Amino acid sequence: MDRYLPPDHPLSRFYRMAAAVFGACLLAFGVLGLANRVPLFTTSGIDVLGLSSNGLLAVVSIVVGAILVCAAAWGGPVASTTTAVIGVLFFLSGLINLGLLETPWNLFAFKLQNVVFSLIAGLVLMFFGFYGRVSGGLPRDNPFVRYRHHEPPAEEVPEQRLADERRIAELTPLAKDEVAMAEGHATPEQARRLRAEAARHMQEERRRAYAHYVDAGRTPEQQVSAQNLWADFETPAQPRPPREPES
């Protein structure tokens, strides 16, 4: 994906920024937890930034935060995948620890606010990781769409193909206008655009016909017939047979 999602791509910057910010927050939470010298496996943790924490949760937070920061430094594709995977793990952790509250198996000293944070953080991380990647209605120039269809990156597409894509984008509104006109609910603005497009097309056809006659070496009198768009397709008149004399 490095060819499709270079470092200067907007999606790449988005993924890396999200991973770096969330990773830095987890690092700060873990460091503050260790700074309070809380026991490693206690089920009754201490409050750190409004959340309950013990030594094990602090260590895990530091490790996960470091992974996110390293993924952000690595590149956009790695940051996207890492953020999405950790988001899924956060969400599952919230669901699992919800059933372990007030039990001896509450190894991370979770409280209800930790569960809520884990669920929300998991959804947010999944949104950051999957944004522009698996959502519906992605444009054809999206790097993940081109990768899944085995197409070259947009930056490597030949100029003619880029010109064709731009032309298709220009013709799409005109096609909508044509449909609206055919269905009988075209607005005055749509009707005006269609008339302007028809006039432009007519002028182009006249210029093409005139250039064709000039290149063919026709006489000035014959060039006048360039106003007739069907001149190239008219068959010459056949000579009429002589009339037989009346007896």
Side-chain angles (χ1 to χ4, degrees):
M1 280 299 300
D2 289 336
R3 288 175 53 227
Y4 293 83
L5 204 64
D8 58 344
H9 195 281
L11 279 178
S12 180
R13 292 195 295 266
F14 176 81
Y15 297 142
R16 298 177 69 181
M17 182 64 67
V21 170
F22 202 88
C25 293
L26 286 179
L27 284 173
F29 177 78
V31 169
L32 289 176
L34 291 180
N36 285 276
R37 300 179 181 275
V38 65
L40 190 63
F41 294 108
T42 181
T43 57
S44 57
I46 61 172
D47 288 336
V48 177
L49 300 178
L51 300 175
S52 176
S53 177
N54 61 7
L56 181 60
L57 182 60
V59 172
V60 172
S61 298
I62 291 175
V63 172
V64 175
I67 291 175
L68 284 172
V69 172
C70 291
W74 189 285
V78 176
S80 171
T81 302
T82 304
T83 303
V85 171
I86 291 179
V88 173
L89 295 178
F90 258 82
F91 191 81
L92 293 177
S93 173
L95 294 177
I96 293 172
N97 284 285
L98 179 62
L100 299 178
L101 294 178
E102 307 297 335
T103 67
W105 297 98
N106 188 12
L107 299 180
F108 294 110
F110 263 46
K111 294 183 180 179
L112 186 59
Q113 59 265 31
N114 294 72
V115 173
V116 174
F117 172 80
S118 185
L119 293 175
I120 296 176
L123 292 175
V124 172
L125 285 172
M126 284 190 285
F127 169 77
F128 286 149
F130 290 130
Y131 176 79
R133 184 169 182 173
V134 297
S135 56
L138 296 176
R140 289 192 58 83
D141 60 348
N142 179 276
F144 295 100
V145 173
R146 303 190 74 89
Y147 176 78
R148 286 194 288 267
H149 289 82
H150 305 288
E151 298 178 356
E155 293 77 8
E156 300 178 10
V157 177
E159 292 298 327
Q160 182 59 42
R161 184 167 182 178
L162 289 177
D164 293 341
E165 291 180 354
R166 285 194 296 267
R167 182 58 179 163
I168 292 173
E170 294 174 357
L171 292 177
T172 300
L174 183 62
K176 294 180 179 179
D177 296 344
E178 292 280 4
V179 172
M181 179 65 73
E183 294 177 349
H185 56 80
T187 63
E189 179 64 21
Q190 289 176 318
R192 184 194 64 79
R193 286 198 296 264
L194 289 176
R195 289 194 299 269
E197 180 65 18
R200 185 188 65 80
H201 185 70
M202 181 66 70
Q203 292 176 356
E204 289 183 354
E205 286 297 320
R206 287 179 174 176
R207 284 194 294 267
R208 182 197 63 80
Y210 184 80
H212 169 74
Y213 278 99
V214 170
D215 294 339
R218 301 298 178 91
T219 64
E221 292 76 10
Q222 291 172 320
Q223 292 174 12
V224 176
S225 65
Q227 300 298 325
N228 179 10
L229 300 180
W230 299 97
D232 292 344
F233 307 99
E234 292 179 350
T235 57
Q238 299 295 330
R240 299 177 63 181
R243 296 178 60 183
E244 296 180 0
E246 297 180 359
S247 58

